[in-house]
Amino acid sequence: MQFYGETLSSRLMLGTAQYDSPAILADSVRAAAPGVVTVSLRRESANKLAGQAFWSLVSDMGVPVLPNTAGCHGVREAVTTAQMAREVFGTDWIKLEVIGEADTLQPDVFGLVEAARILTDDGFKVFPYCTEDLVAAERLLRAGCEVLMPWGAPIGSGKGLNNVFGLRALRAHFPDTPLVIDAGIGRPSHATMAFELGYDAVLINTAVAKSGDPVGMAHAFRLACEAGLLAHAADLMEERDMAVPSTPVLGRAVLA
C-alpha cells in the first residue's frame, strides 16, 4: 500500500489515544503491527514536558507517524495545528480534521476543502477526514489531496459502516484514489467489510483502546484486515434473491 509515494507495511492504521497506560499502548501496537500510528498534537507543560515523554514512546515504536488536527473546529485552527505538528513530529503528513457539528463530530466539508488547499500549497501531504459525499471528495482531490478518509460512522460510535451504498459509490467513482475508512469501526468484522468493499486501509482507535483486552483486540483487527484483503482479492460471490442448491438436482433418483 502506498500513500503519497511511500510504501506501508500494513493497511491497518492505529490511533494512540485513550489507552490506559503507555505499556498497553506499546503492546497493542506490537500486536496490531500497523503501517501507521496516528498522534494528536499536545501542548507540552513548561515544567513536566509530558509531551516529550509521549513522543519518545511513539518514536521507539518504529512505526511511521501520521499527526492529526483532532479537535479543530475552524480552518485557521486546523492549519496552525498542522504547522505545529510538522515541527514537533518532523513529517509533512497530516490527517486533517475540521469538525463542523459537535454531537456527531461530522466534518465541515467546506472548511475542510479550504484548509486542505492551504496545507497542500504549503507542502503538506493531506489525509482529510471527510464524509462519503461525492462532491466534497472531488473538491478535496482538486485541492491537492491524494488520499481520502471517509467516515464509516461518527467517531467513537462503534456503529461500523452506516452508509454502505454511499461508501460503495465513493469507491466506484474514485477507483484509483487510496481510500481509508476512518471513524466508527467498532468490531473486527467492520474492518473486514471495509476491505471487502474494496477500501485500501482502515483506521482504528477506540475499538482497540477501550476494549476489555486492547492487546487481544489489536491482534484480532490485524487478522480481520488480512481476511478482508484476501476475500476481496479472491472475488466475493454475488448476493442472490433466491436459494440456489449446492447439491446438483440432475441425476437425482425419481420415485414413482
Side-chain angles (χ1 to χ4, degrees), residues 169-218:
L170 188 69
R171 176 73 285 175
H173 275 72
F174 304 102
D176 300 322
T177 299
L179 299 179
V180 182
I181 293 292
D182 175 16
I185 291 181
R187 302 178 183 182
S189 57
H190 296 158
T192 300
M193 186 176 183
F195 285 108
E196 290 175 350
L197 289 176
Y199 277 71
D200 298 290
V202 296
L203 174 57
I204 315 294
N205 192 167
T206 308
V208 171
K210 304 314 293 181
S211 67
D213 177 9
V215 178
M217 189 62 71

Side-chain angles (χ1 to χ4, degrees), residues 41-53 55 84 88:
L41 181 67
R42 295 288 185 267
R43 291 183 174 85
E44 297 179 4
S45 165
N47 296 322
K48 299 180 180 179
L49 296 177
Q52 287 187 359
W55 176 224
M84 294 170 64
V88 171

Side-chain angles (χ1 to χ4, degrees), residues 1-215:
M1 185 65 233
Q2 286 193 341
F3 294 117
Y4 290 103
E6 295 192 28
T7 302
L8 302 183
S9 61
S10 169
R11 295 170 184 257
L12 173 60
M13 298 176 163
L14 190 67
T16 57
Q18 304 186 69
Y19 291 85
D20 289 341
S21 73
I24 292 176
L25 168 59
D27 288 343
S28 298
V29 170
R30 282 190 286 269
V36 164
V37 292
T38 63
V39 294
S40 298
L41 181 67
R42 295 288 185 267
R43 291 183 174 85
E44 297 179 4
S45 165
N47 296 322
K48 299 180 180 179
L49 296 177
Q52 287 187 359
F54 176 76
W55 176 224
S56 177
L57 172 66
V58 172
S59 298
D60 291 343
M61 294 177 184
V63 181
V65 170
L66 176 62
N68 65 41
T69 62
C72 293
H73 290 256
V75 172
R76 182 176 180 182
E77 181 184 12
V79 169
T80 301
T81 301
Q83 292 168 338
M84 294 170 64
R86 180 165 59 182
E87 293 184 13
V88 171
F89 298 111
T91 178
D92 56 7
W93 283 21
I94 191 72
K95 181 194 167 193
L96 178 61
E97 297 184 26
V98 182
I99 301 302
E101 204 281 319
D103 290 334
T104 62
L105 300 180
Q106 180 170 328
D108 172 1
V109 295
F110 304 101
L112 188 65
V113 171
E114 182 181 351
R117 183 175 292 109
I118 294 171
L119 290 173
T120 54
D121 287 346
D122 192 25
F124 281 90
K125 309 295 191 303
V126 179
F127 295 68
Y129 164 59
C130 58
T131 66
E132 67 276 21
D133 185 282
L134 298 177
V135 177
E138 180 63 37
R139 297 290 192 277
L140 287 166
L141 295 177
R142 290 181 186 176
C145 300
E146 297 182 13
V147 179
L148 298 175
M149 301 184 74
W151 66 349
I155 294 172
S157 67
K159 291 183 175 295
L161 309 184
N162 272 354
N163 184 3
V164 173
F165 172 82
L167 292 172
R168 185 179 285 115
L170 188 69
R171 176 73 285 175
H173 275 72
F174 304 102
D176 300 322
T177 299
L179 299 179
V180 182
I181 293 292
D182 175 16
I185 291 181
R187 302 178 183 182
S189 57
H190 296 158
T192 300
M193 186 176 183
F195 285 108
E196 290 175 350
L197 289 176
Y199 277 71
D200 298 290
V202 296
L203 174 57
I204 315 294
N205 192 167
T206 308
V208 171
K210 304 314 293 181
S211 67
D213 177 9
V215 178

